[in-house]
Amino acid sequence: MSKLPYSKQDLHATGSQREFGRDAAQAAFLLGGIGTGNISLGSRGDLRDWEIFNRSAKGQRLPYSFFSIAIIGEGRAPITRVLESRLVPPFTESHGFQPGTLAGLPRLEDSCMRGEYPLVYVEFEDTSLPVDIMLEAYTPFVPHEPDDSGLPATLLTYRVKNTGEDPLEVTVVGSLLNAVGYTGLNRFGSLKSEGFGGNINEFREEMGLRGLHLHSGRYGKDSLLHGGLSLATTNSRVTVKRHWLRSGWWDNLREFWDDLSEDGLLTDLGYSEPSEDGKTDVGSIGAVETIGPGEAKEFRFVLSWYLPNRVRSWSQVPQGDACGCEQQTVRNRYAARFDSAWDVSRYVVSNLERLDGATRAFHDALFGSTLPSHVLDALSANITVIRSPTCFWLEDGSFFGYEGCFDEGGCCSGNCTHVWNYAQTLAFLFPSLERSMRRTEFQVETDEDGKMNFRAYREIPGERSWDAFEPASDGQCGSIMRLYREWKMNGDTAWMEGLWPGARRAMDFACTRWDTDGDGVTDGKQHNTYDIEFYGPNPLSGVMFLGALRTATRMAEAAGDYEAAQRYGTLFEMGRANLDEALWNGEYYVQKLEDVDAYKYQHGVGCLADQLLGQANAHVAGLGYLLPPAHVKRAIGSVFRHNLLTDFSLHDNCQRVYALNDEVGLIACTWPGGGRPRIPFPYSHEVWTGIEYQVAAHLIFEGLVDEGLTVVKAVRDRHDGVRRNPWNEVECGHHYARSMASWGLLVALSGFSFDMVQKEMSFDPAINADDFRCFWSTGTAWGTYRQRKDPETGERDWDIDVLHGSLEGVKVNGRDL
């Protein structure tokens, strides 16, 4: 194996997660629930990327929506600051920074962000202030509880400590635009006005909750623009300005800032009428505390939104065209539970002890692990895909996902099977949502002849993608493997049997469509995740086909379909021998074509990073080896040796670029012995994090632990907050679903094996075996596992904690609990 670009110490280092200074302008931590949209928190403590309007909206600002602090002390002038650190260059706004950005108001000197998803912390620094300020923010996150993890809200808690010698009166104020009717900003950076009018800002107070409910009387409940927002606090003493000054130019901001700066309190202006047509209002709510010397107080806010209706289409309409248009809508899942944003805030506060406790239990279980810190970074950071605009969750419980999302809309629609093939995170954290996707695949999108649409259009319509007419060989076979994974995770054979008829049709279609001569090796026209067709025997489709045959054999047996089980099992045994004989070149698996240039976009004798994706997924699902173990280990080692590039300065990539300069990354395909096709497949020279993660996990499964950790560290080093966002791995769009392959790293490093059908679990850690801790989850429970070596006896003992759900009747490491 080639020399590693990192030291062993770096690869195995544990400890705290990285910190990002205010210069890490790309760092943006997502806040928001499953299927709710997001608000992101930047490294300066700023709220950005307001993606709450049922579509992606990178870079979208919500003017005048921010937090500020006023500090009043005896014998000192009042101090007022925006609760963000100072802006960093470039300062290139085309019309200057508009007042809605608050760029001209005083800020804090510096800040430092640390994210441990789902929690994020921002520590502010300002030597001129008599206080220390820290922000903690999160949206409740409880694995196996999608409803409690699907709240359109975020909690923001500012902790202020008095570092001086005298008491201080401190007010933390949240200001929020009433965004009902929001359709974006114009070319001057100001609000478009056509959607506003009839906006209502009201103050509400009930037990434990005080704040603003921002809504409108203009839109009916079925309108795309119907809804509201809420900003409330759990602090008992509050100061309120329901509306900022209704005046011209930027008088409203001037009056607000002067009012707060005078005495740290707000003056309500007494408006009682809704906003005029074409206009809206900003409202502010402040929490007030007296803080003694050396004392610290918390200021907790709940920011909620309720925008229940989205277009019933994969094709998303620009917001500016939404006003008054006639379109079929569908409601978000959270609309089945709540009637308003205030209702959401009430639920959060009423259940805060439970939601907060469960969220921290998951956080502590995951980050209390002995896994390397960059692995924990990769695991946690890509959870954000589930709660990003990439995914949406409907009122009837159906869960859908794009491949990713562009700046202003979803990209590559339809639960794309050949992309979601790689994803592991959703299945282990929210198995009910993953099962929803299997229902869509086998009960809705699989035809009577067994052809599965790899993009789902029957429940959510939309303009069909240019590539959606051929069935996808890797996607269809992968869905069969994932059905097996879900069955083994949950142990619900009746559920599997309900989907088996569709799965059998899909398997039979694969046998006739892609294995044209019946030898167990795919050889037909095979559409795949590279958006082209491979021809002839090849490892990507071939190994996925073998995995589907093995899983179909076992599911058919359990379903009592013995004829199919016999047929699939025989074909699997024939295919595994034939594929190995035909495609093994002594170092890795190749594509078999007499003339590699007879068809465009092939890989031929190239070393394809994805050649053993089917085997990697088989390891996760506990299927065992599909091909000879020695060949598998050598092949995945060859991928590392040939495809890992430690410097991209001279890499001649004519395709999309995801790694460059002195970065380290794993290339999709290389030709170490020559023989590259004249025109290789479209993405051959690119670096995809989803491929990197599945290869890394597979390396670890085969005992090449340091090689696998090297690939993971390379990915996370590229996402350093300056070059790229640590919580947004981009491929064809932001928050790309393929990146959720990272959860396979946990399975591989912990040696976790699960079979809830047989009620068995086991662990065989690949690192730190003498003192090992990790998070685990099945479809029925989650918790922590610990394994330690007794220094006197030299024997290892273990214990397991169930933090949610049940392992009743399950044996762990061969032992009854």
Side-chain angles (χ1 to χ4, degrees):
M1 206 53 70
S2 56
K3 182 179 179 181
L4 303 180
Y6 308 109
S7 69
K8 198 173 188 72
Q9 181 178 358
D10 287 339
L11 292 176
H12 291 261
T14 59
S16 300
Q17 290 298 298
R18 295 176 293 177
E19 295 182 343
F20 305 95
R22 66 188 180 99
D23 62 328
Q26 297 302 312
F29 188 98
L30 273 68
L31 301 167
I34 300 171
T36 69
N38 308 99
I39 303 165
S40 291
L41 183 70
S43 62
R44 297 188 301 102
D46 53 311
L47 298 177
R48 54 190 283 192
D49 300 338
W50 288 75
E51 300 179 288
I52 62 176
F53 301 100
N54 295 305
R55 63 197 307 276
S56 55
K58 291 301 178 192
Q60 181 162 272
R61 300 191 300 262
L62 198 64
Y64 304 113
S65 299
F66 68 107
F67 284 85
S68 53
I69 188 170
I71 304 167
I72 307 296
E74 187 175 352
R76 67 166 64 235
I79 300 171
T80 314
R81 298 285 189 273
V82 174
L83 277 173
E84 302 170 10
S85 62
R86 294 170 184 170
L87 278 74
V88 296
F91 305 137
T92 55
E93 298 278 325
S94 61
H95 289 82
F97 286 97
Q98 292 299 301
T101 67
L102 318 162
L105 295 180
R107 283 168 164 73
L108 305 173
E109 290 176 355
D110 208 352
S111 61
C112 182
M113 170 193 267
R114 176 170 53 88
E116 296 177 353
Y117 196 85
L119 305 177
V120 62
Y121 310 91
V122 180
E123 292 191 16
F124 297 100
E125 182 179 335
D126 195 320
T127 56
S128 69
L129 299 185
V131 295
D132 288 337
I133 307 169
M134 190 271 284
L135 166 64
E136 178 195 76
Y138 72 94
T139 294
F141 186 91
V142 187
H144 289 200
E145 298 294 342
D147 277 321
D148 279 342
S149 304
L151 299 171
T154 184
L155 288 141
L156 302 107
T157 302
Y158 291 89
R159 184 178 184 273
V160 181
K161 181 179 181 180
N162 183 348
T163 59
E165 299 179 354
D166 300 310
L168 298 172
E169 189 92 342
V170 175
T171 305
V172 175
V173 177
S175 298
L176 184 63
L177 179 82
N178 185 332
V180 180
Y182 181 80
T183 58
L185 304 178
N186 62 28
R187 62 191 178 92
F188 298 106
S190 300
L191 289 167
K192 293 181 180 178
S193 62
E194 61 264 28
F196 294 127
N199 292 48
I200 300 166
N201 292 8
E202 60 174 323
F203 174 72
R204 290 187 176 184
E205 183 173 10
E206 53 188 74
M207 187 173 296
L209 190 64
R210 301 155 194 84
L212 296 171
H213 181 215
L214 313 179
H215 54 108
S216 173
R218 177 171 176 174
Y219 298 104
K221 64 178 183 178
D222 296 327
S223 170
L224 287 173
L225 298 182
H226 170 68
L229 297 91
S230 168
L231 181 59
T233 180
T234 58
N235 292 58
S236 58
R237 184 182 170 196
V238 298
T239 181
V240 182
K241 183 186 288 287
R242 292 174 301 133
H243 309 83
W244 284 15
L245 181 67
R246 291 173 172 174
S247 185
W249 289 95
W250 307 299
D251 304 350
N252 59 350
L253 179 58
R254 179 78 276 166
E255 193 277 338
F256 163 79
W257 196 253
D258 288 347
D259 182 23
L260 179 62
S261 299
E262 183 178 2
D263 57 4
L265 301 176
L266 300 172
T267 303
D268 190 87
L269 299 178
Y271 301 130
S272 59
E273 296 298 317
S275 67
E276 297 178 8
D277 193 40
K279 295 183 179 180
T280 188
D281 290 297
V282 181
S284 299
I285 176 78
V288 186
E289 295 285 351
T290 300
I291 308 178
E295 187 181 16
K297 292 287 183 70
E298 290 187 345
F299 301 75
R300 177 183 290 129
F301 294 85
V302 183
L303 173 56
S304 304
W305 56 94
Y306 181 81
L307 297 151
N309 302 319
R310 61 181 296 124
V311 177
R312 186 176 176 267
S313 174
W314 290 103
S315 305
Q316 295 181 309
V317 175
Q319 291 175 337
D321 298 335
C323 295
C325 62
E326 295 287 337
Q327 289 181 296
Q328 188 175 9
T329 60
V330 64
R331 300 211 314 164
N332 292 317
R333 170 70 176 182
Y334 67 76
R337 305 178 61 207
F338 305 110
D339 295 322
S340 67
W342 186 262
D343 199 14
V344 176
S345 295
R346 181 192 297 118
Y347 178 86
V348 171
V349 172
S350 298
N351 295 274
L352 185 57
E353 182 176 358
R354 176 178 61 83
L355 294 172
D356 185 76
T359 299
R360 294 183 192 279
F362 166 70
H363 167 272
D364 294 348
L366 182 61
F367 287 95
S369 167
T370 55
L371 298 179
S373 56
H374 61 280
V375 171
L376 293 175
D377 189 19
L379 294 175
S380 60
N382 289 300
I383 296 173
T384 58
V385 175
I386 301 170
R387 304 213 289 185
S388 76
T390 293
C391 301
F392 57 100
W393 188 24
L394 302 183
E395 188 173 21
D396 67 358
S398 299
F399 183 85
F400 296 96
Y402 294 91
E403 292 181 23
C405 46
F406 294 138
D407 287 354
E408 297 183 348
C411 76
C412 308
S413 57
N415 289 10
C416 181
T417 59
H418 63 62
V419 169
W420 281 82
N421 250 350
Y422 295 72
Q424 303 289 349
T425 308
L426 183 67
F428 282 89
L429 294 181
F430 298 100
S432 64
L433 301 184
E434 188 74 46
R435 292 198 301 270
S436 168
M437 300 182 88
R438 298 295 85 73
R439 179 198 67 83
T440 297
E441 289 160 2
F442 292 110
Q443 291 188 338
V444 179
E445 298 294 341
T446 298
D447 295 337
E448 284 302 312
D449 67 355
K451 173 182 176 291
M452 178 189 293
N453 298 317
F454 72 85
R455 297 192 188 277
Y457 286 109
R458 289 178 176 160
E459 292 181 307
I460 301 295
E463 183 180 351
R464 291 185 75 84
S465 174
W466 61 272
D467 66 342
F469 299 95
E470 283 283 336
S473 59
D474 54 345
Q476 184 154 331
C477 291
S479 291
I480 296 169
M481 293 185 71
R482 287 181 286 150
L483 176 61
Y484 178 86
R485 178 190 63 189
E486 270 65 86
W487 174 46
K488 288 295 183 177
M489 285 189 66
N490 291 276
D492 188 344
T493 298
W495 171 80
M496 182 276 290
E497 290 176 338
L499 298 182
W500 173 245
R504 173 177 171 157
R505 295 198 309 274
M507 190 72 255
D508 287 344
F509 180 91
C511 291
T512 57
R513 179 64 171 258
W514 296 306
D515 179 16
T516 62
D517 56 5
D519 66 349
V521 180
T522 56
D523 56 7
K525 180 182 180 182
Q526 301 149 72
H527 189 77
N528 58 65
T529 199
Y530 305 118
D531 299 328
I532 46 82
E533 290 76 39
F534 284 156
Y535 292 85
N538 69 89
L540 173 62
S541 297
V543 181
M544 291 296 294
F545 181 64
L546 292 177
L549 284 170
R550 173 165 273 189
T551 55
T553 300
R554 296 183 179 181
M555 290 187 290
E557 289 173 347
D561 191 349
Y562 301 114
E563 180 278 327
Q566 176 67 33
R567 182 160 44 88
Y568 299 148
T570 300
L571 189 59
F572 167 74
E573 293 298 338
M574 183 191 310
R576 70 191 305 191
N578 289 339
L579 187 146
D580 189 67
E581 181 180 358
L583 304 187
W584 178 247
N585 74 351
E587 191 178 9
Y588 54 87
Y589 291 95
V590 299
Q591 182 185 22
K592 186 177 180 181
L593 284 173
E594 290 187 9
D595 180 3
V596 74
D597 291 316
Y599 304 97
K600 288 175 67 175
Y601 311 135
Q602 307 303 294
H603 72 85
V605 297
C607 184
L608 186 70
D610 271 337
Q611 62 186 267
L612 290 171
L613 172 63
Q615 181 64 74
N617 287 354
H619 281 325
V620 171
L623 275 175
Y625 280 95
L626 308 176
L627 293 165
H631 288 183
V632 169
K633 181 172 183 176
R634 181 153 191 199
I636 199 63
S638 296
V639 169
F640 179 83
R641 183 167 60 254
H642 295 309
N643 294 33
L644 186 78
L645 195 61
T646 57
D647 190 305
F648 281 77
S649 302
L650 301 179
H651 179 52
D652 62 340
N653 180 11
C654 299
Q655 302 159 358
R656 303 169 304 180
V657 177
Y658 302 110
L660 69 167
N661 298 341
D662 60 350
E663 295 179 325
V664 180
L666 191 83
I667 302 169
C669 194
T670 60
W671 288 264
R676 195 204 79 185
R678 184 172 58 85
I679 301 179
F681 66 91
Y683 310 132
S684 59
H685 286 54
E686 296 181 2
V687 173
W688 295 355
T689 66
I691 293 179
E692 291 177 294
Y693 287 135
Q694 70 88 1
V695 167
H698 195 177
L699 286 163
I700 294 165
F701 277 124
E702 302 303 335
L704 302 172
V705 175
D706 286 354
E707 289 79 3
L709 295 178
T710 292
V711 177
V712 179
K713 183 166 175 55
V715 178
R716 300 314 298 163
D717 282 358
R718 298 198 306 266
H719 294 78
D720 62 359
V722 175
R723 291 173 288 187
R724 298 174 187 86
N725 183 1
W727 298 282
N728 178 10
E729 293 188 7
V730 173
E731 194 186 302
C732 184
H734 303 284
H735 310 294
Y736 203 75
R738 203 186 315 262
S739 67
M740 290 189 287
S742 61
W743 201 262
L745 297 167
L746 175 58
V747 181
L749 285 166
S750 62
F752 181 48
S753 176
F754 54 90
D755 187 341
M756 294 300 103
V757 178
Q758 300 298 322
K759 293 189 175 298
E760 297 173 346
M761 283 171 46
S762 64
F763 296 84
D764 185 14
I767 57 172
N768 305 325
D770 291 342
D771 186 7
F772 181 82
R773 295 186 308 276
C774 76
F775 172 87
W776 60 266
S777 62
T778 67
T780 64
W782 57 267
T784 58
Y785 173 83
R786 179 150 195 181
Q787 176 177 299
R788 282 178 286 191
K789 181 178 180 179
D790 189 311
E792 295 182 1
T793 67
E795 296 182 356
R796 290 175 182 160
D797 199 6
W798 57 268
D799 58 75
I800 192 166
D801 285 332
V802 178
L803 301 177
H804 186 281
S806 172
L807 286 182
E808 183 178 358
V810 176
K811 289 186 175 182
V812 179
N813 293 342
R815 191 172 83 195
D816 292 327
L817 291 181

